[in-house]
Amino acid sequence: MVPTLPSSPRLLRLQRLVLLVAITALCALGLALPAQASAAISLSSGSGEAGSTVTVKGSGFPKRAKGTVTAGTNTAPMTVGGSGSFQTSIVIPSGSSSVEVIATAGAVSASAVFVVVSAQPSPDPEPAGSGKSIRFGVGTASGPAANAELDAVAAIAGEAPSLVLSYKDFNQAPPIAELESVRARGAETLLTWEPWTWGGGVDQSAYSLDRIAAGDFDAYLRDWGYALRDWGHPVYLRFGHEMNGNWYPWAEGVNGNGAGDYITAYRHVHDVVAATGASNIRWVWNPNVPYWGSTPLAQLYPGDSYVDQVALDGYNWGTSQSWSTWQEPDALLGEGLAQLRQIAPGKPVVIAEIASVELGGSKADWNRKLFAYVSAQPDVVALLWFHITKEADWRIDSSESSATAFREALAARR
């Protein structure tokens, strides 16, 4: 056996110096040191759709080092543990058929490939409901994603609504998650798009009709158009509803708006959104039931090429207000329906918002008369109840007798 000689401190320093010189020489020649051969990463899934979240596990990396994991344009931080391993998650971006996932810590890196597969389009579900020719819809207090409220309405009415009301002002993004929530129920959305800031009152000059028509909101309109186009499923869009009244800033005669401004603004919004390719939108023109002093509907209709369906909003206020009296359904809706047929003959008609109070008459009888009346109107294709306590208690079940009559009349409708 050859004896091992002890190394002197001077010899050790000399050895380190020689090693350093060798490393420097390699770098000067443009040669990289070999990475740790044991560094490797694995993905929780090797393929999937863009937008998938993938778990990345690594081993063989410098202990306790900090590094990054990249997938295309996306980056996620990671920290290596004392055993040289790590685990983190990253989202796979779109834009390529495959994405290289790279983990780097110090001079050590390893990679793996994720294969991007296209999502298979799923067919739109058949709208929920009983198969009746008049579709039943509803608006509830917490909006279209409030599934518990919609389930409660279905239990009260004895039928799941196939249309759900939604409201958005001009400060809100396209509600894709809400639209998808409604679609998951087998229903469709009647999406109300209001050009104002909620709570700001009638006088909001920033949202005057001439500013909308001049293009001040075109970028925002295009964002909505592209988002709805990319979502790709049917949506009913009613822009600037109840425009014949005087309680919204998009009405003529208020907020600096003049005669003809509504049609110009409506057409401009329609054209900007349509130019994005959002052919899945069904445009709904929706005045309030006419009343003494309201703007004549013929002066507000944008034209058949801009409208897919026409609609009416109407409420029986009964004696709940100092100015109101009890109105039976035919008295409430009759004149408005006649005007719609004259202005837009052949267009399908939606009763987009309707409800009654209990004060001043029998709400149960009113519910029965309502469904009998609309069943006799061959062009009425849908009725949406405003199931909300707002200015009054408009709910279907404001009383047990109202709920019972509603359920029976709904089941017996056309």
Side-chain angles (χ1 to χ4, degrees):
M1 179 180 293
V2 179
T4 302
L5 299 176
S7 299
S8 68
R10 182 176 179 182
L11 181 57
L12 288 174
R13 286 197 297 272
L14 181 59
Q15 291 172 337
R16 293 192 186 104
L17 180 58
V18 171
L19 180 59
L20 180 59
V21 170
I23 292 173
T24 303
L26 287 172
C27 292
L29 292 172
L31 300 176
L33 288 174
Q36 288 181 226
S38 59
I41 63 171
S42 63
L43 309 179
S44 57
S45 176
S47 63
E49 300 174 18
S52 300
T53 299
V54 177
T55 300
V56 183
K57 295 181 180 180
S59 60
F61 287 81
K63 298 177 181 179
R64 309 194 188 286
K66 293 186 179 296
T68 58
V69 173
T70 61
T73 56
N74 294 341
T75 302
M78 59 88 160
T79 301
V80 183
S83 63
S85 61
F86 72 86
Q87 178 174 318
T88 191
S89 297
I90 195 165
V91 176
I92 302 298
S94 58
S96 178
S97 59
S98 63
V99 176
E100 186 178 16
V101 180
I102 305 171
T104 303
V108 178
S109 66
S111 65
V113 174
F114 183 92
V115 178
V116 179
V117 297
S118 299
Q120 294 299 316
S122 56
D124 286 311
E126 290 296 323
S130 63
K132 297 279 189 174
S133 57
I134 297 177
R135 296 176 66 180
F136 165 52
V138 71
T140 63
S142 300
N147 286 309
E149 292 181 357
L150 296 174
D151 289 342
V153 168
I156 294 166
E159 179 180 324
S162 68
L163 289 166
V164 179
L165 272 171
S166 175
Y167 297 84
K168 298 298 172 187
D169 73 5
F170 257 35
N171 297 289
Q172 293 176 284
I176 302 303
E178 291 182 357
L179 292 171
E180 189 60 33
S181 177
V182 171
R183 179 174 174 265
R185 298 180 62 88
E188 294 173 329
T189 299
L190 177 56
L191 177 53
T192 311
W193 201 12
E194 302 178 328
W196 69 334
T197 294
W198 280 348
V202 174
D203 294 320
Q204 298 191 42
S205 59
Y207 301 99
S208 64
L209 292 173
D210 58 357
R211 292 195 64 178
I212 296 171
D216 287 8
F217 297 92
D218 282 5
Y220 175 71
L221 301 178
R222 283 191 288 269
D223 286 345
W224 268 64
Y226 288 129
L228 293 176
R229 181 202 67 184
D230 292 346
W231 183 62
H233 305 288
V235 57
Y236 297 89
L237 186 65
R238 58 174 187 162
F239 167 78
H241 69 308
E242 299 179 6
M243 76 300 291
N244 58 322
N246 61 3
W247 46 86
Y248 288 128
W250 54 86
E252 295 183 354
V254 302
N255 198 34
N257 303 323
D261 285 349
Y262 179 82
I263 289 177
T264 303
Y266 182 106
R267 288 176 174 175
H268 181 81
V269 171
H270 176 283
D271 289 345
V272 172
V273 173
T276 66
S279 59
N280 53 314
I281 294 175
R282 307 291 179 263
W283 291 84
V284 180
W285 181 74
N286 187 179
N288 192 73
V289 291
Y291 61 93
W292 188 88
S294 64
T295 304
L297 300 189
Q299 297 179 21
L300 300 167
Y301 185 61
D304 287 350
S305 61
Y306 289 88
V307 175
D308 296 303
Q309 294 186 348
V310 293
L312 277 180
D313 290 355
Y315 292 84
N316 174 32
W317 292 84
T319 56
S320 66
Q321 309 294 318
S322 60
W323 47 263
S324 63
T325 58
W326 188 265
Q327 282 187 292
E328 297 295 353
D330 57 345
L332 177 64
L333 298 172
E335 178 59 26
L337 290 175
Q339 292 190 30
L340 291 182
R341 289 164 183 150
Q342 185 176 13
I343 295 166
K347 293 287 185 184
V349 178
V350 176
I351 309 301
E353 294 181 28
I354 196 164
S356 175
V357 297
E358 298 273 359
L359 302 175
S362 169
K363 185 171 179 177
D365 287 345
W366 195 92
N367 293 345
R368 295 187 184 96
K369 291 176 181 177
L370 171 66
F371 283 105
Y373 177 74
V374 297
S375 292
Q377 313 303 314
D379 50 359
V380 172
V381 297
L383 181 150
L384 292 89
W385 189 275
F386 194 76
H387 183 71
I388 300 172
T389 300
K390 194 180 176 187
E391 306 90 346
D393 190 349
W394 303 113
R395 295 173 302 158
I396 297 168
D397 58 341
S398 54
S399 66
E400 184 176 346
S401 62
S402 172
T404 299
F406 187 98
R407 182 166 54 252
E408 293 173 352
L410 179 68
R413 77 191 186 279
R414 166 172 56 83

